[in-house]
Amino acid sequence: MEQAEIESLSLLELYDQATLMYNNLEEGNIDREDYDQYVDDTTNCLKHAIYLIRENGLFADNEVLDDIPTSSLKYISLYFYYSNILTRPSTPDPKIRYSLVQQQIGTLNHFIEFCVEKQIADPVDVEIYNREEHELTAEQKRSEKIERYKREKDLQKKMQSIMQEKMKSGLDETEEQNEEFERKITLLIIRSQVTKSLDTLMGAESEKEMLSGIVKMLEEHGEIPKPKSPEPRERRPDIHIKSDRHIKQEVAAKAFLPGWNLPTMTIEEAADIDLHEALEREARQNEAQKQKKLVKEFGDSSDDSEEVYKKREWDAWADDHPVGEGNTGTKGYHY
């Protein structure tokens, strides 16, 4: 859209046009080649609408929420849309990005503070906004973010409930009832936007801190210093991953195997081993019986071992030479 065309629109027309364009961006209805131009057009519409709000003094500082007409409440959301569209343009320049993030933080703070001042924001969100960031641990921040998400879902359910009541009542409502319905819905929408803005603000603050360091390095060195190359690590052994085909083959080979351990030898081999062990056992038993007999006859004292050996030798000789073997007198031999 041309700037002259934007400036020719009224505040209500700008609101309708900017809201439609913002929703198209949120829902991803814009082609990639037209995206940047569409973001610029949406930003210009929102920027000029906010200019008209301030120029016409639509919201006075001394006004309370009840003093603001229902028809004007919806224009508060334009600050929320504008804060979210500011960082949509893609830019490789950290300085430009840093400037956009700063503008986003300023617009978010203005929107939240306005809703706090007019008592539109949820009391829990007011407490979170007024608290110092460093007072929470990472775990507490995570839990708090989950609670904000739940509150946002509850607000959506309330809006759906009001819409259903409106549809049931149909044309029977008076103009005053219609205005009351519109006011409830608009305030719930703004309250939900405040809850979302707290998450956006925290993310923008973190990004600003990171970009600040990058911009400082650019100003000092003219470029971002490259990180040092890590020291070479010892090569790890290669990991061989089996293919699906090999895995399937292994599974198929084991599919019909029994669930118990199979024998590792034949029956004949087992019988040979048992026979060999039996023979060795019998030999050991015979030797033990012999030793037992000797101990019983001659004792087991180590002092008379020489005498025992002599008796053993004599017994062995007596067994080999019967009594009278050397006596030749009775056999008629004459010398």
Side-chain angles (χ1 to χ4, degrees):
M1 295 177 66
E2 297 293 335
Q3 186 64 30
E5 183 182 356
I6 293 174
E7 293 177 358
S8 66
L9 299 176
S10 65
L11 180 57
L12 179 58
E13 291 172 334
L14 279 171
Y15 173 82
D16 292 338
Q17 182 66 31
T19 303
L20 175 63
M21 297 175 75
Y22 179 83
N23 289 333
N24 284 335
L25 287 170
E26 286 291 296
E27 295 168 4
N29 297 331
I30 308 304
D31 294 334
R32 187 177 184 85
E33 56 270 15
D34 302 328
Y35 182 83
D36 289 340
Q37 183 60 48
Y38 200 86
V39 169
D40 290 340
D41 292 341
T42 308
T43 303
N44 291 333
C45 284
L46 289 166
K47 190 174 182 180
H48 191 66
I50 291 173
Y51 166 78
L52 291 179
I53 291 173
R54 294 174 177 172
E55 184 71 15
N56 298 326
L58 194 60
F59 304 112
D61 293 337
N62 57 353
E63 279 184 330
V64 295
L65 180 59
D66 293 338
D67 296 333
I68 301 176
T70 302
S71 59
S72 300
L73 282 174
K74 61 177 174 289
Y75 298 126
I76 300 173
S77 296
L78 292 173
Y79 289 94
F80 171 76
Y81 300 144
Y82 184 60
S83 65
N84 281 277
I85 205 72
L86 276 169
T87 53
R88 288 293 184 92
S90 56
T91 172
D93 191 341
K95 292 183 179 179
I96 296 176
R97 179 69 183 179
Y98 181 70
S99 176
L100 294 174
V101 171
Q102 281 186 311
Q103 293 180 53
Q104 182 185 43
I105 292 173
T107 308
L108 284 169
N109 281 320
H110 176 80
F111 170 67
I112 297 173
E113 288 171 3
F114 180 86
C115 294
V116 170
E117 181 185 345
K118 303 303 181 185
Q119 297 182 342
I120 301 175
D122 189 294
V124 179
D125 289 334
V126 175
E127 181 184 351
I128 293 172
Y129 181 70
N130 291 328
R131 187 183 54 218
E132 293 293 335
E133 181 73 13
H134 59 78
E135 294 180 5
L136 294 180
T137 63
E139 183 63 27
Q140 289 173 328
K141 290 178 183 178
R142 180 178 176 275
S143 299
E144 200 172 75
K145 187 171 184 178
I146 294 173
E147 290 299 322
R148 283 200 297 273
Y149 176 78
K150 290 180 179 178
R151 287 202 311 276
E152 186 181 340
K153 288 296 181 184
D154 290 339
L155 288 173
Q156 291 177 0
K157 290 180 181 178
K158 287 180 181 179
M159 285 188 280
Q160 291 175 357
S161 177
I162 295 173
M163 292 291 292
Q164 290 173 356
E165 290 179 8
K166 172 69 175 176
M167 293 176 65
K168 288 179 181 179
S169 61
L171 300 174
D172 298 333
E173 291 189 351
T174 62
E175 184 177 347
E176 183 178 349
Q177 289 174 324
N178 285 329
E179 183 180 348
E180 183 182 357
F181 158 77
E182 182 183 350
R183 192 174 187 86
K184 284 182 180 179
I185 288 292
T186 304
L187 288 175
L188 285 174
I189 291 173
I190 297 172
R191 186 170 293 179
S192 175
Q193 290 170 347
V194 172
T195 303
K196 292 178 181 177
S197 294
L198 288 173
D199 280 333
T200 306
L201 181 60
M202 291 178 185
E205 291 285 359
S206 299
E207 185 178 3
K208 176 188 173 183
E209 184 178 353
M210 179 189 68
L211 289 170
S212 176
I214 295 175
V215 170
K216 185 177 180 181
M217 283 191 290
L218 288 173
E219 291 175 350
E220 293 178 354
H221 307 286
E223 62 179 0
I224 301 174
K226 295 182 180 179
K228 294 182 179 179
S229 301
E231 296 182 359
R233 297 181 180 179
E234 184 179 353
R235 178 181 173 82
R236 295 181 179 180
D238 296 334
I239 300 175
H240 299 283
I241 301 176
K242 296 181 179 179
S243 65
D244 292 342
R245 183 172 60 84
H246 290 154
I247 295 174
K248 288 179 180 178
Q249 289 176 351
E250 289 184 1
V251 173
K254 297 178 181 178
F256 300 103
L257 292 178
W260 58 87
N261 293 331
L262 295 175
T264 57
M265 63 182 69
T266 63
I267 296 176
E268 291 78 7
E269 291 173 341
D272 290 342
I273 293 174
D274 290 343
L275 177 61
H276 180 71
E277 291 179 351
L279 293 174
E280 288 184 348
R281 187 166 53 251
E282 184 179 1
R284 288 196 300 270
Q285 290 175 351
N286 293 336
E287 182 65 23
Q289 288 177 357
K290 289 181 180 179
Q291 293 296 329
K292 186 177 180 180
K293 184 178 179 181
L294 290 174
V295 170
K296 185 176 180 181
E297 292 180 359
F298 305 107
D300 193 26
S301 175
S302 58
D303 295 337
D304 57 355
S305 58
E306 186 176 350
E307 185 179 351
V308 170
Y309 287 133
K310 287 182 179 180
K311 288 182 178 181
R312 288 179 183 176
E313 291 176 358
W314 174 253
D315 288 339
W317 187 89
D319 291 338
D320 296 335
H321 301 80
V323 178
E325 179 185 24
N327 188 356
T328 59
T330 60
K331 295 182 178 181
Y333 292 104
H334 300 278
Y335 295 96

